């Protein structure tokens, strides 16, 4: 692993886990059989409850249903349904685990959304993805393409029941500016495993926001790569896990070209017996990626006993010629000092706890540029707090 002794020492002090192998060596393939069937002890799977994947990982989950997509797109966008043979598919990235490869080999049709060159979308576009239904299994593929100098806001809203695995691609052209909000608001029975591939062109800007609220098991793995200089990606996340829910977010930012920026900030709250969240943040700065500027942060707030949050930031640096690189991670309960401060000013304990949680998420919520989505999330957080009695 190509990091200096000082970098290793700092990473250990901040609680990072030094991976056994470099992320530069990670294996990717479209072929399902190129991956071994995971048993749950592998680094990539050690936090995931394998039995709850319903066979997505070992090939036993045959497709028995289909998803449906309702599209409310701005007039300027082009939305197509294409077959597997479409040459554009796979442009943003290659599957990096067996489930992603299974999803790529099993889908029969894909949805491609294109923002034309030098076009600014007149309104946010919403793609509402409905699961295949309770007891059903489906695989899917979605690609969002923003051509050079295009601007758009895209919302992917996942709802309904069933078991679903997919690959999602974001191909962001030169100097394009795109905001993507991926909402996982599944029914209680749903299982969703998604690998998201983010590819940025020269001077492209992407704000990628992941919101996870519902589902029995949700695992989202975004990977950001830069095709040319000047790319800027902001990866934000908000998640709230209830009793028995497993929510897992695995991020990888691959800085392979010079003069690019990345900023990662994920925040989560947990409540109830067996609630489990996992956040893995990997950033690789390759030897050629001079003048890189990157930072990643994860914060978790445990609201009740019996909930567990795992947080593992990793930073791998192969060159000393960078603008900046860092990470931070923390998990804790309510800040007693904050509660005391609010209560000393006449605010009841229940109301004070609500204020603390709202303040905790505020930094993420203000960055969501779609008012309808932001208001929906604020209402969802309020409903979660009602359930826990905060």
């Amino acid at each position: 692993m190509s990091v200096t002794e000082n970098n290793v020492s700092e990473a250990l002090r901040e609680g990072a886990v030094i991976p056994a192998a470099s992320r530069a060596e990670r294996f990717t393939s479209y072929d399902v059989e190129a991956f071994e069937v995971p048993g749950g002890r592998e680094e990539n799977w050690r936090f995931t409850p394998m039995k709850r994947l319903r066979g997505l990982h070992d090939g036993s989950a045959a497709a028995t249903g289909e998803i449906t997509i309702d599209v409310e797109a701005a007039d300027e966008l082009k939305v197509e349904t294409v077959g597997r043979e479409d040459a554009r598919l796979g442009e943003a990235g290659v599957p990096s685990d067996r489930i992603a490869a299974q999803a790529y080999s099993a889908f029969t049709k894909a949805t491609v959304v294109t923002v034309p060159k030098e076009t600014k979308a007149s309104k946010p576009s919403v793609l509402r993805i409905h699961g295949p239904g309770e007891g059903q299994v489906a695989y899917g593929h979605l690609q969002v393409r923003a051509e050079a100098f295009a601007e758009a806001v895209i919302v992917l809203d996942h709802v309904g029941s069933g078991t679903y695995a997919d690959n999602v691609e974001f191909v962001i052209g030169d100097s394009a500016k795109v905001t993507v909000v991926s909402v996982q608001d599944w029914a209680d029975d749903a299982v969703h495993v998604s690998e998201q591939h983010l590819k940025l062109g020269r001077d492209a800007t992407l704000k990628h926001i992941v919101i996870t609220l519902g589902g029995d098991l949700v695992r989202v793995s975004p990977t950001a790569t830069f095709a040319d200089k000047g790319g800027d990606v902001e990866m934000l996340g908000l998640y709230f896990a209830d009793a028995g829910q497993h929510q897992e977010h695995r991020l990888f930012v691959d800085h392979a070209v010079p003069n690019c920026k990345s900023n990662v900030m994920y925040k989560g709250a947990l409540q109830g017996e067996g609630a489990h969240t996992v956040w893995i943040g990997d950033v690789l700065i390759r030897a050629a990626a001079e003048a890189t500027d990157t930072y990643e942060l994860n914060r978790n707030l445990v609201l009740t006993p019996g909930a567990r949050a795992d947080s593992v930031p990793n930073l791998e640096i192969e060159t000393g010629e960078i603008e900046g690189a860092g990470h931070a991670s923390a998990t804790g309960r309510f800040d007693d000092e904050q509660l005391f401060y609010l209560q000393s000013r006449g605010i009841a304990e229940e109301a004070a706890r609500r204020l603390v949680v709202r303040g905790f998420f505020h930094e993420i919520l203000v960055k969501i540029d779609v008012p309808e989505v932001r208001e929906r999330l604020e209402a969802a957080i309020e409903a979660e707090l009602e359930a826990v009695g905060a």
Side-chain angles (χ1 to χ4, degrees):
M1 178 169 164
S2 301
V3 294
T4 66
E5 183 177 345
N6 287 338
N7 287 329
V8 172
S9 298
E10 181 181 354
L12 290 173
R13 283 198 304 270
E14 295 199 19
V17 174
I18 305 300
S22 169
R23 288 289 284 172
E25 302 170 358
R26 75 169 188 159
F27 179 75
T28 61
S29 176
Y30 295 110
D31 181 11
V32 180
E33 298 306 322
F35 297 91
E36 294 184 0
V37 175
R41 294 189 176 183
E42 301 82 359
E43 177 60 31
N44 195 34
W45 298 101
R46 65 188 179 99
F47 291 110
T48 308
M50 307 303 290
K51 293 180 180 180
R52 291 168 62 179
L53 288 171
R54 299 176 184 167
L56 290 175
H57 64 297
D58 61 13
S60 63
T64 57
E66 292 185 352
I67 61 164
T68 58
I69 302 180
D70 297 330
V71 180
E72 302 172 11
D75 294 338
E76 298 84 0
L77 273 60
K78 181 180 181 182
V79 182
E80 308 168 78
T81 300
V82 302
R84 298 183 51 84
E85 69 284 353
D86 193 293
R88 296 170 294 181
L89 302 182
E91 181 178 343
V94 182
S96 65
D97 64 46
R98 185 180 173 93
I99 295 181
Q102 178 68 52
Y104 194 90
S105 66
F107 78 89
T108 57
K109 57 185 179 181
T111 299
V112 177
V113 180
T114 303
V115 189
K117 181 179 180 181
E118 300 178 355
T119 297
K120 183 175 181 179
S122 56
K123 67 175 184 178
S125 299
V126 179
L127 282 74
R128 187 159 289 107
I129 299 149
H130 298 265
E134 188 172 358
Q136 302 298 308
V137 178
Y139 298 96
H141 197 97
L142 173 66
Q143 185 182 84
V144 175
R145 305 179 62 85
E147 297 179 348
F149 296 95
E151 294 186 29
V153 176
I154 310 291
V155 178
L156 309 180
D157 189 8
H158 299 86
V159 297
S161 297
T163 302
Y164 181 51
D166 67 341
N167 287 273
V168 183
E169 300 183 68
F170 303 101
V171 183
I172 313 301
D174 295 350
S175 297
K177 185 176 181 180
V178 177
T179 295
V180 171
V181 185
S182 178
V183 181
Q184 285 67 234
D185 196 10
W186 297 102
D188 291 342
D189 72 289
V191 169
H192 182 206
V193 180
S194 178
E195 188 160 87
Q196 301 196 0
H197 311 272
L198 291 55
K199 183 178 180 182
L200 284 75
R202 189 180 185 91
D203 297 324
T205 301
L206 173 63
K207 181 188 289 186
H208 180 268
I209 306 170
V210 174
I211 309 294
T212 302
L213 300 172
D216 177 64
L217 183 153
V218 175
R219 176 177 154 131
V220 182
S221 303
T223 294
T225 59
F226 300 90
D228 209 338
K229 298 178 180 179
D232 188 343
V233 62
E234 186 175 23
M235 303 173 74
L236 307 172
L238 184 156
Y239 48 92
F240 205 133
D242 283 322
Q245 284 186 307
H246 180 92
Q247 299 176 354
E248 189 165 341
H249 301 89
R250 290 181 165 268
L251 292 77
F252 178 39
V253 183
D254 188 351
H255 283 275
V257 297
N259 302 104
C260 292
K261 296 181 180 180
S262 64
N263 182 63
V264 176
M265 181 168 59
Y266 271 58
K267 289 190 174 186
L270 307 83
Q271 66 182 18
E273 188 68 32
H276 187 196
T277 64
V278 178
W279 180 87
I280 308 294
D282 289 335
V283 176
L284 169 63
I285 304 175
R286 298 179 187 262
E290 297 180 353
T292 290
D293 189 0
T294 180
Y295 192 80
E296 59 175 347
L297 176 147
N298 178 233
R299 293 281 188 264
N300 298 287
L301 187 60
V302 180
L303 303 179
T304 64
R308 172 185 168 185
D310 288 293
S311 180
V312 185
N314 296 311
L315 178 59
E316 184 177 358
I317 305 172
E318 297 180 349
T319 176
E321 302 298 322
I322 60 175
E323 291 293 323
H327 54 66
S329 170
T331 299
R333 297 184 60 81
F334 284 107
D335 188 324
D336 291 336
E337 289 187 5
Q338 289 180 334
L339 288 178
F340 176 79
Y341 176 85
L342 293 170
Q343 288 181 268
S344 68
R345 279 148 180 79
I347 300 175
E349 181 179 356
E350 182 176 323
R353 288 179 177 273
R354 290 173 181 270
L355 288 173
V356 171
V357 176
R358 293 186 192 121
F360 175 74
F361 281 129
H362 179 74
E363 192 175 6
I364 299 287
L365 291 170
V366 296
K367 291 178 176 287
I368 299 175
D369 302 326
V370 187
E372 295 83 355
V373 173
R374 185 170 60 249
E375 292 168 5
R376 173 180 166 189
L377 292 177
E378 289 172 346
I381 292 170
E382 184 68 24
E384 296 283 6
L385 294 174
E386 288 281 355
V388 77

